[in-house]
Amino acid sequence: MGLKILTEHINIPGIETLEVYRKHGGYKSVEKALKTMSPDEVVEEVKTSGLRGRGGAGFPAGMKWSFLAKPEGVPRYLVCNADESEPGTFKDRWYMEKNPHGLIEGMITSSYALGANTSYIYIRGELMFVLRILEKAIAEAYAAGLLGKNILGSGYDLDLHVAPGGGAYICGEETALLESLEGKRGNPRNKPPFPAVKGLFQSPTVVNNVETISSVPWIVNNGGAEYAKVGIGRSTGTKLISASGNINNPGVYEIELGVPVEEFIYSDEYCGGIWKGRQLKAVVPGGSSVPILPANLILKTAEGENRLMTYESLSDGGFVSGSMMGSGAFIVFDDQQCIVRNTWNYSRFYHHESCGQCSPCREGTGWMEKVLHRIEHGHGHQQDIDLLVSVAKQIEGNTICPLGDAAAWPVAAAIRHFRDEFEWHIKHPKEATAPGAVYRGQLDTVTA
Amino acid sequence: MIQDEVKFSDAALAEMQRYISHYPEGRQKSALLPLLHIAQAELGGWVSPEAMDKIAEILNIQPIEVYEVATFYTMFNLKPVGKHVLEVCRTGPCCLRGADELIDTLKRKLNIEEGETSADGMFTLKPVECLASCGTGPMLQVRELFYENLDSEARVDEFLATMRQTEHEIPTWAK
Ligand SMILES: Cc1cc2nc3c(=O)[nH]c(=O)nc-3n(C[C@H](O)[C@H](O)[C@H](O)COP(=O)(O)O)c2cc1C
Ligand code: SF4
Ligand code: FES
């Protein structure tokens, strides 16, 4: 059992209430920060911790905080990104539902560090039931003097509100999120200016993921140096992993960064192995936007080293033989799953979710979906594979926001590692479209 | 179809004002999404042009500003829907656990295609993208609630039977 920074108390009955949460040490960080530390000292601890953003990009949180512009007389905002729409990701929902005060405590301590007096939690509209849990907990915190004016007599004021989205994956992108929070369509903004300079209501703003913010209380209580001792290298601390797909124990697991991938998949403490006695075929380790890896490359790097659950190890080999940590959504495929069908499914998702502002993304995602649909349904042409690769290349790097890349990478990676499966679909449409048909060739290279 | 005489209840109007109060002076438009949700919950699961006009009036913005937002977000139904809208997740991770089968089963049992409403007006089938419930898929959402692990015909039958007996979940603000 590794150290549990976020989930130590999560299964205690009643932990969603202020009373039980406080009984287990809750809100200590608010007391400590507001009464004994300056805002800059809190920022320093977060810097020292090496905590990296848990929303997908892995950018160091303390560094992001230190970029926040602080012009005189202009309000600053902290916005929590609880949009959680990346396919495969469900850790934030799970955490907020079970431990709402954990996030609220993090919001107070972090808002104090940034000098924000109004903060928002932007939650995807589908999670209205979680919004209600958060609002109930926020009301408790106000009643206890942990929110509002002069918190715990410290002279610091903070209002905290929850805002629902309306169903749009793109609103997880931070500038689209800010547009949406202002009551507009979720069209990502051109950068610069960055939110740290002009964010919500044109004011300096920090956007952080639920898990990032919820890690701050532990760092304040125990010190950034203690946090940095957990994990390996620049992958410090613990990470919530959403495990889904064809495994025996899907769910959310808090791991110390550095657990071997093989252990994560096969140990009963985590995924518990592949379901129905089947074999591992592939894994998407960081949510639908990151490259898929075949079994041999997810378990070991191209050099034959054990792959570990860290930012560095998962991306070892770059896009040739590696992938990314992303949001920590670990999607496992058994040997009965069709890679072509899955790739088509994801391309439909990105086409559906493109906001339509840039032509490479709007048109390119549509093309990829169309071509993948015809391959999957037995009408593919031999040139289609190269066509897909070329469309993906034209999207990559040519768009306002990273959704374009997120749509292109999974297609390029699926073709890179499973080209023979695509070819089989095109050459043998009848066999490939038979009910339950799955290509088996690639499995010969599996060494589980 | 017209939702004539759009009139929000006092509870709904109070809830709308509560959201508006969360934003700075002059930034009341920020409450647009919450207001659309409240309107949709009050008005039978969809928002008509009349309802959107009313929201524009409350927020003191142009009606077009409401339309362009309502059409961008997938959660707002701009046409009448059945009593229960079944928002079934159709995305990859759920498909690994049987989402395609769930959608097929629902189509067959309700005798409808995607986007349609059953003849008795009880169910609308609306496939949606990942709902952050991938570990408990296949799953679907009805109003504010999730129904998870619908991985066998028996569980689907049980679910549909329950829904036929179920009135709408009443949002907390209306209680
Ligand atoms: C298309 C797209 C979707 C995103 N969705 C989310 C999301 O649902 N949740 C999230 O925290 N970050 C999401 N991000 C990343 C955010 O833009 C941003 O980097 C993040 O919220 C920063 O927080 P962090 O530094 O704490 O990770 C998304 C990015 C893109 C491009
Ligand atoms: S890349 Fe796609 S989603 Fe992002 S701004 Fe351009 S069109 Fe919109
Ligand atoms: S894929 Fe269905 S809830 Fe995520």
Side-chain angles (χ1 to χ4, degrees), chain A residues 246 278-279 281 333-338 436-438 440 443:
Chain A
N246 309 132
R278 294 181 190 166
Q279 294 238 315
K281 178 171 182 176
F333 296 67
D334 71 26
D335 54 8
Q336 307 278 314
Q337 305 303 329
C338 172
V438 182
R440 319 269 318 181
L443 292 174

Side-chain angles (χ1 to χ4, degrees), chain A residues 170 187-188 353-359 361-362 399-404:
Chain A
I170 191 57
N187 289 336
E353 300 299 330
S354 165
C355 86
Q357 277 192 113
C358 343
S359 356
C361 171
R362 184 187 60 239
T399 56
I400 294 178
C401 93
L403 185 139

Side-chain angles (χ1 to χ4, degrees), chain A residues 182-202:
Chain A
E182 293 181 3
K184 302 177 196 152
R185 295 165 75 96
N187 289 336
R189 299 176 182 169
N190 272 303
K191 299 190 216 181
F194 289 90
V197 179
K198 274 192 175 19
L200 185 64
F201 308 136
Q202 295 293 309

Side-chain angles (χ1 to χ4, degrees), chain A residues 121-356:
Chain A
I121 300 171
Y122 178 93
I123 187 166
R124 62 181 297 185
E126 293 89 341
L127 298 182
M128 207 57 95
F129 60 100
V130 182
L131 174 143
R132 306 216 186 281
I133 292 170
L134 288 169
E135 287 199 329
K136 201 165 160 195
I138 287 174
E140 285 185 306
Y142 268 104
L146 289 158
L147 280 169
K149 293 253 173 285
N150 192 16
I151 295 172
L152 302 176
S154 66
Y156 173 64
D157 306 336
L158 177 66
D159 282 315
L160 177 59
H161 306 297
V162 194
Y169 166 67
I170 191 57
C171 291
E173 193 280 334
E174 57 185 12
T175 61
L177 185 156
L178 296 175
E179 288 287 297
S180 182
L181 190 49
E182 293 181 3
K184 302 177 196 152
R185 295 165 75 96
N187 289 336
R189 299 176 182 169
N190 272 303
K191 299 190 216 181
F194 289 90
V197 179
K198 274 192 175 19
L200 185 64
F201 308 136
Q202 295 293 309
S203 297
T205 303
V206 165
V207 181
N208 271 133
N209 174 258
V210 171
E211 186 187 346
T212 314
I213 292 170
S214 304
S215 302
V216 172
W218 195 96
I219 293 171
V220 167
N221 289 333
N222 300 278
E226 268 314 291
Y227 189 89
K229 282 185 198 159
V230 186
I232 298 178
R234 290 180 55 235
S235 293
T236 62
T238 64
K239 172 94 192 78
L240 296 178
I241 305 289
S242 320
S244 68
N246 309 132
I247 47 178
N248 284 317
N249 314 324
V252 179
Y253 298 98
E254 181 173 14
I255 59 160
E256 286 189 25
L257 287 167
V259 171
V261 170
E262 185 163 1
E263 181 184 336
F264 186 72
I265 297 176
Y266 292 101
S267 145
D268 285 334
E269 201 183 329
Y270 305 116
C271 300
I274 310 304
W275 73 352
K276 304 182 182 176
R278 294 181 190 166
Q279 294 238 315
L280 174 66
K281 178 171 182 176
V283 172
V284 175
S288 63
S289 308
V290 312
I292 189 171
L293 289 178
N296 55 335
L297 281 177
I298 186 69
L299 298 173
K300 294 205 190 303
T301 65
E303 281 80 46
E305 309 232 341
N306 281 338
R307 219 183 265 282
L308 310 177
M309 302 285 275
T310 63
Y311 290 90
E312 292 73 24
S313 182
L314 287 173
S315 56
D316 187 288
F319 279 4
V320 178
S321 61
S323 182
M324 283 165 84
M325 169 69 90
S327 61
F330 198 86
I331 311 165
V332 180
F333 296 67
D334 71 26
D335 54 8
Q336 307 278 314
Q337 305 303 329
C338 172
I339 301 297
V340 177
R341 187 169 183 79
N342 180 72
T343 311
W344 162 61
N345 182 293
Y346 283 169
S347 74
R348 178 180 66 183
F349 170 82
Y350 288 106
H351 182 214
H352 185 256
E353 300 299 330
S354 165
C355 86

Side-chain angles (χ1 to χ4, degrees), chain B residues 42-148:
Chain B
E42 274 243 312
L43 303 172
W46 71 290
V47 280
S48 63
E50 292 74 19
M52 290 191 266
D53 292 348
K54 192 89 191 164
I55 289 174
E57 198 183 303
I58 293 170
L59 288 176
N60 195 18
I61 57 177
Q62 295 303 316
I64 181 77
E65 295 179 77
V66 182
Y67 307 157
E68 66 176 15
V69 164
T71 50
F72 183 85
Y73 295 95
T74 55
M75 286 186 77
F76 304 118
N77 300 312
L78 305 179
K79 285 191 302 205
V81 290
K83 181 170 177 183
H84 300 298
V85 182
L86 310 182
E87 302 187 87
V88 194
C89 173
R90 67 174 190 185
T91 317
C94 270
C95 290
L96 294 175
R97 303 183 74 87
D100 289 333
E101 291 76 3
L102 171 59
I103 292 173
D104 285 345
T105 307
L106 288 169
K107 279 188 193 165
R108 180 161 46 81
K109 294 205 176 271
L110 302 174
N111 198 20
I112 49 177
E113 289 301 312
E114 295 176 5
E116 293 179 356
T117 299
S118 59
D120 59 2
M122 188 68 83
F123 298 105
T124 300
L125 183 61
K126 178 179 174 185
V128 297
E129 302 294 354
C130 179
L131 288 170
S133 190
C134 330
T136 38
M139 56 80 62
L140 56 80
Q141 172 163 30
V142 184
R143 294 263 167 144
E144 294 196 7
L145 298 179
F146 280 8
Y147 299 84
E148 302 170 299

